[in-house]
């Protein structure tokens, strides 16, 4: 009888542990408008390592040349792989991040081609955080941080 009780308790523990391991994906979608055409905006802030200027840090390619498969290292500690690219967008992933972190930066023509809408979408798994409060705080922190990034991108792109 003790073995059955122990086995039942172990099974319940394993089930609850696997439930906490279930992915809880979230997305943060941010946008800003730049008073410059897409081509000009992309020249100033659309390169894969232009993130160094937006985030006031460093960026270097550790492999590749800016095409799909290129790996960039940010702040000498974060590796991101370019996993998709179009004429006006790219998507990157942090392959070693336990939260499945991905981001997409897209440049859309706006106002008849006289302006650009920059769309930044972050996608990641919140299940690596323990509490609802920690999840909310993480999402709020990232939202504020990337709102600042978009503001910096706008400033750089609109500068003469």
């Amino acid at each position: 009888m003790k073995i059955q009780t122990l086995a039942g308790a172990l099974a319940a523990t394993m089930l609850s542990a696997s439930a906490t391991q279930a992915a809880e994906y979230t997305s943060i979608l941010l946008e800003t408008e730049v008073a410059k055409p897409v081509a000009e905006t992309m020249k100033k802030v659309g390169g894969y390592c232009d993130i160094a200027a937006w985030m006031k840090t460093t960026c270097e390619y550790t492999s590749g040349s800016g095409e799909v498969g290129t790996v960039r290292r940010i702040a000498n500690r974060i590796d991101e792989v370019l996993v998709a690219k179009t004429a006006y967008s790219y998507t990157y992933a942090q392959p070693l991040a336990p939260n499945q972190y991905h981001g997409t930066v897209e440049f859309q023509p706006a106002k008849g081609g006289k302006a650009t809408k920059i769309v930044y979408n972050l996608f990641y798994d919140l299940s690596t955080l323990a509490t609802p409060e920690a999840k909310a705080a993480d999402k709020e922190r990232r939202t504020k941080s990337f709102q600042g990034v978009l503001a910096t991108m706008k400033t750089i792109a609109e500068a003469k």
Side-chain angles (χ1 to χ4, degrees), residues 15-92:
L15 283 174
S16 67
S18 67
T20 61
Q21 296 297 323
E24 186 180 333
Y25 296 115
T26 193
S27 179
I28 300 171
L29 181 63
L30 302 167
E31 300 177 357
T32 194
E33 190 171 290
V34 174
K36 296 282 184 178
V38 170
E40 288 182 48
T41 301
M42 294 222 29
K43 281 182 187 175
K44 291 187 173 184
V45 296
Y48 191 46
C49 252
D50 287 347
I51 192 169
W54 327 327
M55 296 189 101
K56 299 175 179 92
T57 188
T58 59
C59 180
E60 66 177 321
Y61 292 165
T62 58
S63 69
S65 61
E67 297 304 315
V68 171
T70 296
V71 178
R72 69 182 177 191
R73 175 160 287 165
I74 302 167
N76 205 30
R77 63 182 177 79
I78 300 168
D79 291 325
E80 295 180 336
V81 180
L82 184 62
V83 297
K85 183 178 178 182
T86 70
Y88 297 123
S89 70
Y90 65 83
T91 299
Y92 61 89

Side-chain angles (χ1 to χ4, degrees), residues 112-147:
K114 295 180 181 177
T116 303
K117 181 164 72 167
I118 302 174
V119 180
Y120 208 125
N121 192 359
L122 303 172
F123 176 83
Y124 63 103
D125 180 7
L126 288 168
S127 70
T128 59
L129 301 169
T131 66
E133 296 79 15
K135 293 172 186 182
D138 181 79
K139 190 167 183 176
E140 182 178 336
R141 178 187 59 79
R142 289 179 196 269
T143 299
K144 285 182 182 176
S145 175
F146 279 88
Q147 284 171 333

